[in-house]
């Protein structure tokens, strides 16, 4: 039986354990470029002992950023800087991953600690957002996006493919497509945000078309021997949950046929009016249904920060990987904490030797 500290192999990539750090936006970039903040941040996370570190949502185009502080991968200069991050993560013993993203109608926003709302249109930092239909998200994200033309759709698909090529060439070994959280991919699949009347709207088959074609374009350039994954909101908690989940299952089966290797199971966040049952590991049973009904390996990142819950999710085959996010911000050495909590033999040795040697040799300085 696998547990949290079992290794995990997907394609030609082997993770040293089932602990993964999901994308967590830092909003610290300028012009989409990596800087000293990102180098220190990702090196610290990777040294903490997890098997996989996925770099934050990285814009495939300037318009695809959530905020002006988001990382980008729409040009070669950005990719060269990201190469340093991939190398730092790999040197620390983790597998370097990256999430490529387009924020759609949720783009052109202020940083969360500066309002988490749309930047005013008359602000020089703002840009025009795009989406499947000219429908605003609502709440503080009230700006009405431009409805995408067919030319826009083709351009964005090409942007995703170009971003995947740059990620490949920069040394990343794990790719995650951000199709979740009400951003562009998710907003195409949802009837809440997609009211088009052409081949990209209407039926669920049509609403799925953008994500399938984007996946195809990425699959053409991403190496077959490296994991190609996606994050997707399989449920919205808007009162039509079983219908949404059923549609999601059919779409995920199609993605699997087109070459997707794993799904990070999440919530849609396509509209603000939902009733999400927040709680510890609340998506675990949903993730297991996805795993069982599609045959695709799964992960999830919501509420698994307690080591016992993460380990239980692996043992009960709810998850293949446990995505541990905010707990790593609180404690970058969370894997060491988890190893002690779960009575792993020689727990300090999940960390690099310069830490592990001293931590295993002497009594913890934090114990009385």
């Amino acid at each position: 039986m696998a547990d949290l500290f079992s290794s995990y192999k997907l394609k030609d990539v082997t993770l040293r354990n089932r602990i993964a750090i999901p994308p967590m936006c830092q909003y610290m970039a300028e012009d989409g470029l990596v800087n000293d903040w990102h180098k220190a941040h990702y090196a610290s996370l990777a040294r903490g002992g997890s098997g996989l570190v996925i770099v934050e949502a990285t814009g495939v185009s300037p318009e695809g950023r959530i905020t002006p502080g988001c990382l980008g991968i729409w040009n070669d200069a950005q990719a060269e800087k990201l190469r340093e991050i991939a190398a730092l993560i790999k040197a620390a013993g983790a597998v370097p991953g990256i999430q490529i993203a387009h924020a759609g109608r949720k783009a052109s926003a202020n940083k969360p600690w500066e309002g988490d709302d749309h930047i005013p249109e008359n602000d020089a930092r703002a840009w025009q957002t795009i989406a499947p239909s000219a429908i605003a998200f609502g709440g503080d994200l009230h700006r009405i996006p431009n409805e995408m033309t067919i030319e826009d759709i083709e351009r964005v698909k090409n942007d995703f493919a170009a971003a995947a090529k740059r990620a490949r060439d920069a040394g990343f070994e794990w790719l995650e497509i951000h199709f979740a959280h009400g951003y562009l991919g998710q907003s195409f699949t949802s009837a809440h945000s997609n009211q088009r009347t052409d081949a990209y709207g209407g039926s669920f088959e049509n609403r799925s078309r953008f994500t399938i074609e984007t996946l195809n374009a990425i699959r053409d350039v991403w190496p077959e021997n490296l994991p190609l994954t996606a994050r997707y909101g399989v449920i919205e908690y808007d009162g039509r949950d079983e219908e949404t989940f059923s549609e999601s299952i059919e779409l995920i089966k199609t993605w699997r046929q087109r070459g997707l290797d794993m799904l990070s199971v999440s919530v849609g966040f396509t509209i603000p009016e939902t009733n999400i049952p927040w709680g510890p590991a609340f998506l675990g049973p949903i993730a297991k249904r996805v795993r069982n009904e599609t045959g695709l390996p799964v992960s999830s990142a919501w509420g698994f920060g307690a080591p016992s819950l993460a380990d239980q999710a692996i043992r009960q085959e709810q998850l293949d990987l446990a995505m541990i996010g905010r707990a790593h911000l609180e404690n970058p050495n969370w894997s060491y904490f988890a190893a002690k909590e779960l009575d792993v033999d020689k727990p300090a040795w999940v960390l690099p030797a310069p830490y592990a040697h001293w931590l295993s040799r002497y009594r913890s300085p934090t114990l009385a």
Side-chain angles (χ1 to χ4, degrees):
M1 175 189 296
D3 60 39
L4 190 61
F5 283 91
S6 300
S7 62
Y8 182 72
K9 187 174 189 296
L10 188 62
K11 292 293 186 70
D12 286 350
V13 171
T14 300
L15 309 184
R16 57 189 172 186
N17 54 48
R18 305 294 182 103
I19 301 166
I21 301 180
M24 292 184 286
C25 292
Q26 297 297 291
Y27 305 115
M28 293 296 288
E30 293 185 11
D31 298 322
L33 291 165
V34 162
N35 56 39
D36 287 346
W37 175 275
H38 303 95
K39 294 175 188 177
H41 171 66
Y42 286 108
S44 174
L45 291 180
R47 290 171 186 148
S50 67
L52 170 68
V53 178
I54 305 178
V55 171
E56 65 203 77
T58 304
V60 301
S61 63
E63 73 190 13
R65 295 170 297 166
I66 304 168
T67 78
C70 291
L71 287 176
I73 192 167
W74 64 82
N75 63 46
D76 293 341
Q78 293 163 341
E80 279 303 307
K81 288 288 187 180
L82 283 162
R83 182 189 301 275
E84 299 178 47
I85 300 298
L88 285 169
I89 294 171
K90 191 171 180 67
V95 169
I98 189 170
Q99 184 188 71
I100 55 175
H102 192 297
R105 65 182 183 172
K106 288 185 172 182
S108 190
N110 284 303
K111 297 176 183 180
W113 52 89
E114 294 176 353
D116 207 18
D117 54 353
H118 270 140
I119 300 170
E121 293 184 40
N122 61 358
D123 189 313
R125 299 172 302 138
W127 60 89
Q128 178 60 54
T129 58
I130 59 174
S133 300
I135 303 169
F137 173 76
D140 291 332
L141 297 176
H142 51 74
R143 185 170 184 177
I144 298 174
N146 283 347
E147 179 172 313
M148 293 171 71
T149 64
I150 297 299
E151 290 74 19
D152 290 331
I153 290 172
E154 290 300 316
R155 173 176 54 80
V156 173
K157 287 189 295 185
N158 290 335
D159 288 341
F160 269 98
K165 288 175 64 176
R166 290 191 177 100
R168 174 200 69 194
D169 294 344
F172 289 97
E173 300 174 1
W174 187 288
L175 189 69
E176 182 174 281
I177 313 165
H178 202 350
F179 280 159
H181 300 173
Y183 298 129
L184 190 62
Q186 186 94 53
S187 64
F188 261 97
T189 64
S190 174
H192 289 301
S193 47
N194 184 348
Q195 296 181 10
R196 301 175 71 95
T197 58
D198 62 5
Y200 291 92
S203 67
F204 187 67
E205 178 182 1
N206 282 356
R207 286 184 276 120
S208 301
R209 193 180 308 278
F210 172 80
T211 63
I212 294 169
E213 292 179 352
T214 300
L215 174 61
N216 288 343
I218 293 170
R219 180 71 282 171
D220 286 344
V221 299
W222 184 253
E224 285 285 349
N225 66 313
L226 299 179
L228 175 56
T229 73
R231 195 173 195 184
Y232 185 64
V234 302
I235 192 167
E236 194 72 55
Y237 295 109
D238 59 353
R240 58 186 297 273
D241 298 341
E242 281 303 317
E243 181 180 352
T244 300
F245 184 80
S246 178
E247 291 177 340
S248 297
I249 291 298
E250 292 309 307
L251 177 56
I252 295 162
K253 288 178 179 177
T254 301
W255 288 345
R256 185 187 180 195
Q257 293 169 356
R258 302 301 179 94
L260 193 73
D261 298 312
M262 173 178 275
L263 189 80
S264 179
V265 175
S266 194
V267 179
F269 299 119
T270 308
I271 56 173
E273 301 85 7
T274 57
N275 187 26
I276 300 172
W278 296 108
F282 78 100
L283 278 178
I286 298 293
K288 185 169 186 175
R289 286 184 63 187
V290 173
R291 189 177 190 268
N292 290 345
E293 295 181 33
T294 67
L296 198 65
V298 299
S299 63
S300 189
W302 296 102
F304 294 96
S308 60
L309 287 177
D311 187 56
Q312 178 179 293
I314 300 297
R315 290 176 182 271
Q316 294 181 352
E317 298 185 337
Q318 292 182 336
L319 305 178
D320 294 280
L321 298 179
M323 295 279 182
I324 311 298
R326 287 172 296 168
H328 272 103
L329 298 182
E330 183 176 6
N331 178 6
N333 295 333
W334 185 89
S335 296
Y336 174 45
F337 164 67
K340 291 189 293 182
E341 288 284 306
L342 297 173
D343 293 322
V344 171
D345 186 43
K346 298 180 181 178
W349 286 94
V350 304
L351 299 174
Y355 292 177
H357 172 77
W358 300 110
L359 290 171
S360 60
R361 183 172 180 177
Y362 297 106
R363 180 180 173 85
S364 171
T366 61
L367 295 177

